[in-house]
Amino acid sequence: MVAFLRLALRRVAMMPVMILGIALLVFVVLQFSPVDPAFNALGESATPEARAAFAEANGLNDPLPVRYFDFLGQLLHFDLGMTVPPSQPVIDRITAAFPLTLQLTFLGLLLAVVLAVVSGVLGAMYRDRWPDQLFRVFSMAGVAIPSFWLGVLLIQQFALNVRIFPTGGYTNPADSFSGWLTTMALPAFSLAVPVAASLARLVRTSMVAELDRDYVRTARGNGLPVFLVVRSVLRNALVTPLTVLGVKVGYLLSGAVVIEAIFDLPGMGKLILEGVTGGDVALVQGTVLTIAIAFLVVNVVVDLLYLLVNPRIRTV
């Protein structure tokens, strides 16, 4: 336990340094944007004098390091700036949109894990037989299919032809849980399939390796029930897939941005598109930074889970 706490504190202690690096990268990249903040804020009718006064008042003429440290100071106070007129705090827009992106991401992750574990375990249990061949085809097809293309196909088949699900939109779960599931089903499935396909291959490979170990043969020879053997094997087999789970969550977060645009969901993807098309640097900067920090936090959590399920690494 002491070794685990030491490694956990080490992971957590690195987070502020990585957040500073992420903030620096996002800030510097967006400084090369051709968008003029004064033009967006004041409009086309603003005089050059008014734009110069706006730039001076908002520190746009300061050196880049000064503006970066000002940006960090605002970030510490959860101040991400204001959107272009009509002006709104960026943090308020993100607070309203980010929960939906989290819902979509973790619903997609849940579906991906369930599909990956079921198909990987069954493929390993029925090795080289028809169920295994079927799951291999699923894995290869799932990896090859882009999530946005799958989303379009699902809309055409299940929203336009069969009319089981809506083509888009969002229902708050507080208003109608069934309506929320209906609106989130197709987007979450679109996100989950590529991730589930790649994870299923890892689960199957790990399960096959564990099933060939001596302790499994001994357990089977002693008449231990199959489900108990599989449960024990699965815990050991999930160590390797868990190492890539953090990266897959990052894929789900980034993929959710595109999927939200396809299914007209008012999440972070809509904010990014709004910021890019409207030349709103503050909005783009805030949304990208939020997604990057969320990705970092998820990876730290996955690292801690990996330490829990793999005690051998605690001695490293």
Side-chain angles (χ1 to χ4, degrees):
M1 180 58 71
V2 175
F4 170 76
L5 291 176
R6 184 175 66 250
L7 289 173
L9 289 174
R10 188 186 306 170
R11 298 288 198 279
V12 174
M14 286 298 296
M15 286 186 63
V17 178
M18 291 186 284
I19 290 176
L20 286 175
I22 292 171
L24 176 61
L25 179 62
V26 172
F27 177 80
V28 171
V29 169
L30 288 178
Q31 295 310 303
F32 293 97
S33 171
V35 176
D36 182 5
F39 178 84
N40 279 345
L42 302 177
E44 299 180 1
S45 60
T47 63
E49 293 77 11
R51 294 181 186 176
F54 178 88
E56 184 65 29
N58 289 273
L60 299 179
N61 297 328
D62 294 338
L64 190 62
V66 174
R67 282 185 283 159
Y68 174 65
F69 284 109
D70 289 341
F71 169 67
L72 287 182
Q74 294 174 344
L75 189 60
L76 289 175
H77 294 88
F78 299 98
D79 181 6
L80 296 174
M82 304 291 290
T83 64
V84 298
S87 296
Q88 291 179 290
V90 173
I91 190 67
D92 290 348
R93 299 290 307 276
I94 292 175
T95 302
F98 193 53
L100 188 148
T101 301
L102 285 180
Q103 293 171 25
L104 178 58
T105 299
F106 285 102
L107 187 58
L109 179 64
L110 178 62
L111 286 173
V113 169
V114 171
L115 290 173
V117 171
V118 170
S119 58
V121 170
L122 291 178
M125 296 295 293
Y126 295 92
R127 189 187 325 177
D128 297 328
R129 286 181 276 178
W130 71 264
D132 186 24
Q133 301 298 332
L134 180 64
F135 290 127
R136 285 184 183 181
V137 172
F138 162 73
S139 298
M140 290 187 290
V143 171
I145 295 176
S147 58
F148 65 87
W149 184 70
L150 178 60
V152 173
L153 291 182
L154 291 176
I155 290 175
Q156 183 174 358
Q157 181 63 34
F158 295 102
L160 297 178
N161 294 342
V162 183
R163 299 182 183 275
I164 299 176
F165 300 99
T167 57
Y170 175 71
T171 300
N172 195 306
D175 299 331
S176 172
F177 185 75
S178 61
W180 175 77
L181 282 178
T182 301
T183 56
M184 298 293 282
L186 294 185
F189 190 77
S190 303
L191 277 178
V193 167
V195 175
S198 59
L199 284 178
R201 299 170 70 177
L202 291 175
V203 173
R204 179 196 177 277
T205 302
S206 298
M207 283 288 296
V208 168
E210 288 295 322
L211 287 172
D212 289 337
R213 294 186 182 274
D214 292 337
Y215 77 91
V216 177
R217 298 191 187 97
T218 302
R220 287 178 171 176
N222 291 333
L224 199 67
V226 175
F227 77 93
L228 291 179
V229 176
V230 172
R231 187 180 65 179
S232 300
V233 170
L234 184 61
R235 179 176 179 179
N236 296 329
L238 287 181
V239 172
T240 300
L242 189 59
T243 60
V244 300
L245 188 60
V247 178
K248 296 302 180 182
V249 174
Y251 168 85
L252 289 170
L253 275 171
S254 59
V257 172
V258 180
I259 292 297
E260 287 171 2
I262 294 175
F263 287 91
D264 192 28
L265 297 173
M268 298 293 281
K270 185 175 182 180
L271 287 190
I272 291 179
L273 288 177
E274 180 182 330
V276 171
T277 56
D280 194 334
V281 176
L283 186 59
V284 174
Q285 184 173 260
T287 51
V288 172
L289 185 61
T290 302
I291 292 175
I293 292 176
F295 176 49
L296 172 63
V297 172
V298 168
N299 273 272
V300 171
V301 172
V302 171
D303 284 345
L304 297 180
L305 291 176
Y306 182 59
L307 293 175
L308 284 175
V309 301
N310 189 13
R312 291 172 295 180
I313 200 174
R314 302 177 197 173
T315 61
V316 179

